[in-house]
Amino acid sequence: MRIQINSSNGLKLPSEARASVDRMLRERLARFDGILTRVEVHFHPGDGYNPNGRDVACGIEARIAGKRPLKARHAATGLEATASRALDKMMTLMN
């Protein structure tokens, strides 16, 4: 399983956060390793204002061999928390 993590629109993705998200994806998607060819994660600034900090959106696309890609998205405050919730949604789609 190949994992690709991107960010856009001026959103900085520190190397520690990138490593944490990569580790989380590998741990939680390990049981699908045989069927997943690639997982793409894309972070960008969220649309709304959040008084607790900058809103971040995370989209995850999982490519399963021989099938159409699955997509899940979530927006919240914090990179890891946002990725975790988007991954929760992805896991629901995959089960």
Side-chain angles (χ1 to χ4, degrees):
M1 164 178 46
R2 189 169 148 238
I3 296 177
Q4 182 178 340
I5 302 173
N6 303 307
S7 63
S8 65
N9 295 337
L11 181 66
K12 301 293 182 197
L13 192 59
S15 60
E16 302 84 29
R18 183 181 299 272
S20 175
V21 169
D22 184 270
R23 190 171 38 257
M24 175 180 48
L25 288 165
R26 290 186 188 283
E27 287 172 4
R28 293 185 55 194
L29 294 172
R31 68 181 176 143
F32 300 107
D33 193 30
I35 62 169
L36 285 173
T37 58
R38 186 168 72 190
V39 176
E40 292 183 31
V41 180
H42 188 80
F43 290 99
H44 56 90
D47 297 331
Y49 169 75
N50 187 333
N52 298 323
R54 188 171 184 186
D55 214 24
V56 178
C58 175
I60 299 177
E61 181 176 296
R63 297 184 181 222
I64 299 170
K67 296 190 178 187
R68 295 179 67 147
L70 298 174
K71 298 177 184 181
R73 183 181 185 279
H74 188 75
T77 303
L79 296 169
E80 287 95 348
T82 304
S84 180
R85 289 294 297 136
L87 186 53
D88 288 343
K89 292 177 180 181
M90 179 60 66
M91 296 296 287
T92 300
L93 290 172
M94 293 183 73
N95 285 325

